[in-house]
Amino acid sequence: MTTRRTALALGLAAGGLSALAACGPNAPSGGGGAEDAESLRLAWWGNPVRDEGIRKAAADYQEESGVSIAPEPSDWGGYWDKLATQVASGEAPDIIQMDEKYLSEYGGRDVLLDLETAGLDVSGFEDRVVATGEMSGKGLLAICGGINTPVLLANPDVFAQAGLDIPDDSTWTWDDLLDVATRVSEATDDGTYGVAQLGLIQNVFQVYMRQLGKDQYTADGVGFDAEDATEFFTFGHELQESGAAPDAERAVEEIGQSLDQTLFGTGRCAIGTAWSNQVVAFDAALDGRSRMLRLPSMSGRAADVGLWYKSGLYYSVSARSKDPEAAVAFVDWFVNSPEAGRHLMVERGVPGNIGVREEISADLGDSDRKAVEFIDAIKDEIHDPPALTPQGGGQFEDILNRAGQDMLFGAIGPADAGTALYDEISSATVS
Amino acid sequence: MSAVGELTQLVSNRNKGGAKEKHPDNKVGLAFMAPWLLGLLGITLIPMVASFALAFTDYSLLAAPEFVGLENIRRMIADTRLHNSLVVTFIYVFVGTPLQLIVALLLAVLLNQGMKGLSFYRSIFYLPSLLGGSVAIAILWRQMFGASGLVNQVAGMFGFHDLPGWVSNPDTALGTIILLHVWTFGSPMIIFLAGLRQIPEMYYEAASVDGASKAAQFFRITIPLLTPIIFFNVVLQVINAFQSFTQAFVVSGGTGGPSDSTMFYTLYLYQKGFTQFDMGYASAMAWLLLIIVAIFTAINFFVSKFWVFYDD
């Protein structure tokens, strides 16, 4: 009797275990990392447009070289948590899409390969663009995957609703922006505003600091002081008080929203902030109607705006990759070949390789063209790029948001917000 | 007796060289327990030991851990954001749990009246509890309570305009998450229903014969006889509430809400460990949470002597 029962129990257990195996992460139908020795893992964050482009490029590379690329896409929010955990468990992807915010964190801890010694061909890039991926003492840890710069986008339809013209962006000042945005808010319905709440936006903060003769970071750490931050927050406060920007709650709801869900993306804001390559995504939501503008300056002269060529994203290779040569070969193809460039156009930014940029210029869509022309138009106004974000600096946006929100909800004044911002980022970046 | 207790007794029986007939049964029993045992070891016990070791290190996830002694504890004492997250979590636990249990009890009493379609109503009221911990519902909740969300639109139909965005205002954001917690009253309600069924009818009959009102019956008969069940629900719900993460993470978009107003302790722990590359500190926080939950559970058990009434 016992033997029959035992046999029955073991049989059920075996059946149960195999059923469990079928729904596990290594299930045959599930997908995930390929076990093929010849394949490389490529991780990126993005959006559906970028996902499709990269998959097509990977398929092309597989045809050409026989090396297959296993895709691991994510959205921005979850990407970094996942990457940190993957590195900790020794399972980092071979090719990693990298951002300037975290380059020091990963690069400073020897997670990334030096691409220059590994033989990556950077001859098609301008030196200053290549330099954005270098870390002193560590070499070239990441190669630019696309150039962008902070911009403002204007919605001509909302301006038309308000009966106003879009201002001339080569001569306007911060006060002009405040003025026109206030008038747009007043002249349009409730729920439509003149400008997004700039006081919570990191790239506007950085431009503002550069116009004050400082910067967000220098080689020694934090590059601004509490008074500079207070000046910036005072401007944000005025935007809210005058009605030019949405009220505190709506401004908070904008944070972390996908682009097509923001006030600007749904046509309820005349001026929104963006990186230049995001015009493609915004135009998809706005039927291609947006116009790209420079940020204002303090003096009214375009050359004083302080813009720079930022690498919107980079590609790095994991230092512990099982096949670093193959990974570097793929990155080389990915950033230097016109075929790869054609699949992604300027969605990640204007290609860093000048040859690729020229090759794709004939096929640019309207939105892509706006980004490329803007990058080209400001080339004589470009200043030096800022210092790399130091370790701990990845929290800057959170700190800026918290201090800014406390101020917008009236809990503290701009001066206290400026001090809080300076104190917190200083202690976060102390190494 | 708990499973672990039985297991130890099984093992010690074998050591005593006791009745030989027990041996084959022990083997089968242990074989059945093997998956659970492996899980207990691999997913619970070993990580707990590792986490305790990590609590005394500086571990960025990207590089090997470095021993730093009590530095993490010193930082925890000075960390005002951590104190704030404790306040937020305490408010959530001590406001949300009583509210949830009161709603659960009232509905259980209502459903206990016996009515047509009772099983239908029971399932419907249990449904939010199944969905409530999910990401999808939290996302919906965030939309509903936004500045132009469903709640404000409906209120607008009744003439209340210009209401604040509930989820994006620091004063009310935590309230929306507490509301979500209260909405998932299903499981305590089912347990209360079971407890209500166990109360013998004769008490109520005797009371009505003596002329007691419904309210008096409720407070003098139902509640005292339900106290063991209430105690069980309180202990369980408090432990669960301290560990809440998903709702806060999704409703605040991972940020801890406007001005840290929804920064639950577990959410701050997650941020510290995974986004700020400070896993050693997060491990120390995890052990502090364990100590806090243990203290409150002990307090619950101690105080229960004074208000829980056991029939036997």
Side-chain angles (χ1 to χ4, degrees), chain B residues 140-162:
Chain B
L140 266 178
W141 211 258
R142 186 188 177 167
Q143 280 300 102
M144 269 176 52
F145 285 93
S148 11
L150 191 60
V151 168
N152 281 356
Q153 285 178 22
V154 168
M157 289 201 283
F158 288 99
F160 294 100
H161 296 288
D162 279 338

Side-chain angles (χ1 to χ4, degrees), chain A residues 2 5-6 9-10 77 80-81 83-85 87-89 102 105-106 109 111 190 247-250 252-253 255-257 261 268 320 395 398 401-402 405-406 409 424, chain B residues 24-25 28 31-32 59-63 81 142-143 145-148 162-170 249 255 257-260 263 270-272 274-277:
Chain A
T2 324
R5 260 202 251 140
T6 338
L10 284 171
W80 299 101
D81 304 344
L83 184 62
T85 317
V87 171
S89 58
Y102 296 105
E105 304 272 6
Y106 286 87
R109 297 187 171 101
V111 175
D190 275 342
D247 51 83
E249 281 133 17
R250 260 167 254 264
V252 166
E253 284 182 14
I255 301 169
Q257 283 276 28
Q261 299 287 324
R268 287 175 295 157
R320 286 171 231 160
Q395 302 170 45
D398 280 337
N401 272 327
R402 259 182 300 121
Q405 282 170 33
D406 283 341
F409 282 108
E424 283 194 47
Chain B
D25 283 343
V28 173
F32 267 108
Y59 183 40
S60 66
L61 281 184
L62 306 179
R81 285 186 83 197
R142 186 188 177 167
Q143 280 300 102
F145 285 93
S148 11
D162 279 338
L163 286 176
W166 307 97
V167 148
S168 39
N169 186 312
F249 185 81
T255 59
S259 303
D260 272 3
M263 179 69 89
Y270 177 85
Q271 278 193 7
K272 273 284 168 195
F274 291 98
T275 53
Q276 292 182 23
F277 303 101

Side-chain angles (χ1 to χ4, degrees), chain A residues 44-329:
Chain A
W44 76 87
W45 74 83
N47 51 64
V49 174
R50 187 181 300 177
D51 292 349
E52 214 192 294
I54 295 186
R55 281 179 210 270
K56 288 204 191 126
D60 271 1
Y61 188 69
Q62 185 161 357
E63 274 178 38
E64 264 186 45
S65 68
V67 177
S68 71
I69 306 287
E72 293 185 6
S74 259
D75 69 304
W76 167 262
Y79 181 78
W80 299 101
D81 304 344
K82 191 165 84 162
L83 184 62
T85 317
Q86 283 177 322
V87 171
S89 58
E91 291 280 307
D94 299 289
I95 303 138
I96 303 170
Q97 188 169 294
M98 182 51 61
D99 186 271
E100 192 268 343
K101 257 169 72 162
Y102 296 105
L103 186 53
S104 310
E105 304 272 6
Y106 286 87
R109 297 187 171 101
D110 298 326
V111 175
L112 305 174
L113 199 63
D114 182 351
L115 296 169
E116 204 129 34
T117 30
L120 182 72
D121 176 16
V122 296
S123 54
F125 287 71
E126 282 174 53
D127 285 338
R128 64 182 167 187
V129 171
V130 175
T132 57
E134 283 170 2
M135 227 182 128
S136 63
K138 309 266 180 185
L140 178 66
L141 297 177
I143 185 66
C144 166
I147 297 172
N148 63 20
T149 195
V151 299
L152 293 177
L153 293 176
N155 186 334
D157 297 328
V158 179
F159 273 97
Q161 263 181 51
L164 295 168
D165 293 324
I166 299 182
D168 179 4
D169 67 319
S170 53
T171 56
W172 65 339
T173 63
W174 296 94
D175 288 329
D176 292 335
L177 168 59
L178 176 63
D179 185 50
V180 77
T182 314
R183 282 189 288 144
V184 168
S185 280
E186 280 162 10
T188 53
D189 308 321
D190 275 342
T192 305
Y193 302 92
V195 67
Q197 176 47 267
L198 301 180
L200 298 177
I201 309 291
Q202 179 269 329
N203 63 17
V204 178
F205 178 83
Q206 190 159 13
V207 169
Y208 204 92
M209 291 301 111
R210 286 164 70 89
Q211 291 182 8
L212 290 175
K214 312 274 183 69
D215 205 332
Q216 197 171 324
Y217 302 109
T218 61
D220 306 312
V222 176
F224 60 93
D225 61 31
E227 275 119 39
D228 303 320
T230 303
E231 226 189 286
F232 177 74
F233 278 130
T234 311
F235 181 71
H237 188 69
E238 276 170 36
L239 283 178
Q240 182 178 297
E241 294 297 297
S242 64
D247 51 83
E249 281 133 17
R250 260 167 254 264
V252 166
E253 284 182 14
E254 295 273 279
I255 301 169
Q257 283 276 28
S258 56
L259 300 181
D260 56 352
Q261 299 287 324
T262 56
L263 285 170
F264 183 77
T266 48
R268 287 175 295 157
C269 189
I271 299 173
T273 75
W275 293 98
S276 56
N277 62 309
Q278 290 175 323
V279 68
V280 179
F282 274 114
D283 267 355
L286 292 173
D287 283 332
R289 305 269 303 140
S290 69
R291 270 189 47 189
M292 203 174 283
L293 305 173
R294 292 174 185 77
L295 281 140
S297 61
M298 304 212 173
S299 60
R301 281 177 303 143
D304 292 340
V305 180
L307 295 178
W308 70 99
Y309 282 157
K310 178 177 190 285
S311 287
L313 48 85
Y314 307 79
Y315 289 98
S316 300
V317 172
S318 160
R320 286 171 231 160
S321 168
K322 295 192 190 78
D323 194 349
E325 281 121 35
V328 174

Side-chain angles (χ1 to χ4, degrees), chain A residues 320-336:
Chain A
R320 286 171 231 160
S321 168
K322 295 192 190 78
D323 194 349
E325 281 121 35
V328 174
F330 173 76
V331 174
D332 200 319
W333 178 86
F334 204 34
V335 300
N336 286 325

